[in-house]
């Protein structure tokens, strides 16, 4: 998987498995499961609440990915 592809906003499970860097794969997988759980729970929350949950999860995921990128860019190895 290309570097650019692994940072797409939405990845499926097959694409997640192709991410070579373990830390990045763990971050992306964590948020994939959290978003999946939110959708499964959609019967218990309104569409508006689901949208808020997904938006917040995307924001948190982006923050975690940016922190990961910062760590990788400052790593001398």
């Amino acid at each position: 998987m290309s570097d650019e592809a692994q940072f797409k906003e939405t990845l499926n499970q097959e694409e997640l498995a192709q991410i070579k860097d373990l830390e990045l794969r763990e971050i992306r997988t964590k948020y994939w499961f959290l978003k999946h759980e939110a959708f499964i729970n959609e019967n218990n929350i309104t569409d508006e609440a689901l949208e808020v949950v997904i938006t917040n999860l995307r924001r948190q995921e982006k923050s975690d990915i940016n922190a990961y990128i910062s760590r990788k860019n400052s790593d001398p190895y």
Side-chain angles (χ1 to χ4, degrees):
M1 172 176 281
S2 72
D3 286 344
E4 185 176 307
Q6 63 189 2
F7 292 104
K8 291 188 316 186
E9 184 173 322
T10 303
L11 297 174
N12 62 41
Q13 286 183 318
E14 184 178 315
E15 291 169 322
L16 289 170
Q18 294 176 13
I19 297 174
K20 293 177 181 160
D21 186 282
L22 180 60
E23 182 181 2
L24 180 58
R25 186 179 336 132
E26 287 174 349
I27 292 168
R28 298 304 310 264
T29 301
K30 169 187 167 183
Y31 286 100
W32 185 93
F33 278 109
L34 290 171
K35 288 182 266 188
H36 179 72
E37 286 295 317
F39 279 113
I40 289 174
N41 193 35
E42 71 179 329
N43 291 332
N44 297 324
I45 61 175
T46 65
D47 288 344
E48 293 80 19
L50 178 61
E51 186 175 331
V52 169
V53 168
I54 296 301
T55 298
N56 287 336
L57 287 172
R58 286 186 177 139
R59 188 176 300 122
Q60 291 170 356
E61 179 180 21
K62 187 172 184 173
S63 176
D64 284 359
I65 289 171
N66 287 337
Y68 158 83
I69 291 169
S70 292
R71 282 192 305 279
K72 288 295 183 180
N73 288 339
S74 67
D75 187 359
Y77 304 100

